[in-house]
Each structure stands twice: as structure tokens, then as C-alpha cells.
Amino acid sequence: MTAVHDVLEHVSVVPPAAELPAAARILAETYPQIVDFDSTGMSVEEVHYFLGESAAIAYFQYRFLLNRP
């Protein structure tokens, strides 16, 4: 499976990135580490610790925009 940040680097070549909601695309471009971050089994506090405050907030917003729990 192609990571979203890989697709975003080649938006002109791979159109599916354009299918992302605009806000999700912006978050992924700004914080590429949130795209494939796996928070399985982690508490909210642990996510904030490992990603940092701003990236963690972006991570949760990104997941919400993609309708992921």
C-alpha cells in the first residue's frame, strides 16, 4: 500500500492524492509522520509523547477527516 506522503510528493503523477479532503492533504504535507503512524494500543498521552504536541493534534484531526477511529 502506498503511503499518503509518497503520493503527495507526486501529486501531478498520482491523482488519488487529490481525492483526500483538502484539510487531510494539508495535514499530511505538514506532518508526514502522521500518515503511517500506528497508535494501536497507545493512550492519547503516549501518542502526544511520541509524535509531539502539534503532530499529535494533527494526527487525530487527520484520522477524523479520513473517518478512522
Side-chain angles (χ1 to χ4, degrees):
M1 183 171 171
T2 304
V4 175
H5 66 272
D6 291 338
V7 173
L8 290 173
E9 291 175 6
H10 308 287
V11 172
S12 62
V13 178
V14 184
E19 295 174 11
L20 283 175
R25 189 169 58 247
I26 291 167
L27 289 171
E29 289 171 347
T30 306
Y31 300 100
Q33 68 270 39
I34 70 174
V35 174
D36 54 9
F37 184 76
D38 183 6
S39 62
T40 304
M42 298 175 79
S43 68
V44 171
E45 292 81 12
E46 289 171 322
V47 173
H48 281 262
Y49 174 80
F50 285 105
L51 286 177
E53 191 68 23
S54 296
I57 292 169
Y59 172 72
F60 288 114
Q61 291 173 333
Y62 178 76
R63 291 185 60 88
F64 175 79
L65 290 167
L66 297 181
N67 296 316
R68 296 181 183 161

